[in-house]
Amino acid sequence: MRAPYNARMTPLSNPNPLTPLSNDPRYPTGKLTFDPDVTPDKRRAWIDAIRTTPARLRAAVSGLTEQQLETPYRDGGWTIRQVVHHVPESHANAWIRFKLAMTEDSPTIKLYNEDAWVKLPDVPRAPIESSLTLLDALHQRWVALLEAMTDADFRRPLTHPERGQITLDTMLQIYAWHGPHHIGHVEIVRRG
């Protein structure tokens, strides 16, 4: 049996991300489900979710106090500062994985310990603006790639060390909701 891609990830199925689908703070927008019926319209919607993530994250953290940035979204969870720095780190890995899959035959991706990354010494020191700016630029490039991809490109596989082969269509769905998932964590702290 293959391990789940990432237990924290959830679907982009909540039309209003300010209204939680779940009372479980780990999954403010619900748990991940994949849509096997991929259509051009659905792809466009997923790409749009990736396109809008930087602005939505920026709006979610706007006006938060230092105390709120240092607040975990749940007991044992990451602080909002850690969440904000995590999103561009995760999405940079995803962008590179897309490029690898577009230029190699089923490349095996390298996993990384995201929990260890958010505990590295740059995270408490770096202003969140640095990660918000990084996310803006990264998503401009990523969306340019996504919008230029063909149906065949989205069917290209990569090899996940724990899950086996997955397509770029699957990766698109994962990251279309990954941003809203973490925006939901910010909203938990904002609502207090």
Side-chain angles (χ1 to χ4, degrees):
M1 181 173 160
R2 293 182 179 151
Y5 182 79
N6 182 328
R8 285 191 302 274
M9 294 186 174
T10 57
L12 182 66
S13 57
N14 187 354
N16 182 357
L18 300 180
T19 305
L21 284 176
S22 168
N23 291 327
D24 184 340
R26 294 174 300 168
Y27 310 106
T29 58
K31 290 187 180 181
L32 170 62
T33 58
F34 290 104
D35 186 343
D37 181 30
V38 175
T39 66
D41 285 341
K42 288 178 184 177
R43 276 194 195 121
R44 279 190 290 278
W46 295 325
I47 292 168
D48 194 54
I50 290 171
R51 177 192 336 275
T52 61
T53 289
R56 290 182 57 215
L57 181 59
R58 186 178 291 280
V61 299
S62 178
L64 291 182
T65 65
E66 284 298 312
Q67 182 179 0
Q68 288 172 308
L69 291 174
E70 297 307 326
T71 301
Y73 66 88
R74 67 174 175 88
D75 288 340
W78 292 345
T79 67
I80 298 309
R81 181 179 309 280
Q82 288 172 316
V83 168
V84 172
H85 289 311
H86 160 73
V87 174
E89 291 173 347
S90 173
H91 291 199
N93 274 284
W95 178 58
I96 296 298
R97 291 168 179 174
F98 267 79
K99 288 192 157 261
L100 288 169
M102 293 284 292
T103 59
E104 299 177 18
D105 292 327
S106 195
T108 299
I109 61 172
K110 179 165 178 21
L111 301 182
Y112 70 103
N113 183 339
E114 50 190 37
D115 194 52
W117 281 35
V118 300
K119 293 174 183 165
L120 288 171
D122 63 313
V123 171
R125 297 173 55 104
I128 63 167
E129 181 58 36
S130 64
S131 283
L132 294 171
T133 300
L134 177 60
L135 193 65
D136 285 334
L138 173 64
H139 278 233
Q140 287 176 18
R141 288 289 308 279
W142 193 7
V143 168
L145 174 65
L146 294 171
E147 290 181 334
M149 289 172 62
T150 66
D151 286 346
D153 292 334
F154 280 105
R155 289 191 299 272
R156 290 186 65 88
L158 54 79
T159 303
H160 188 283
E162 295 171 346
R163 298 196 68 204
Q165 266 197 355
I166 59 176
T167 66
L168 292 181
D169 264 325
T170 299
M171 292 285 290
L172 179 65
Q173 290 184 54
I174 289 168
Y175 287 93
W177 48 251
H178 182 254
H181 167 71
H182 285 302
I183 292 165
H185 292 144
V186 175
E187 292 300 333
I188 288 170
V189 171
R190 179 175 286 288
R191 287 190 304 268

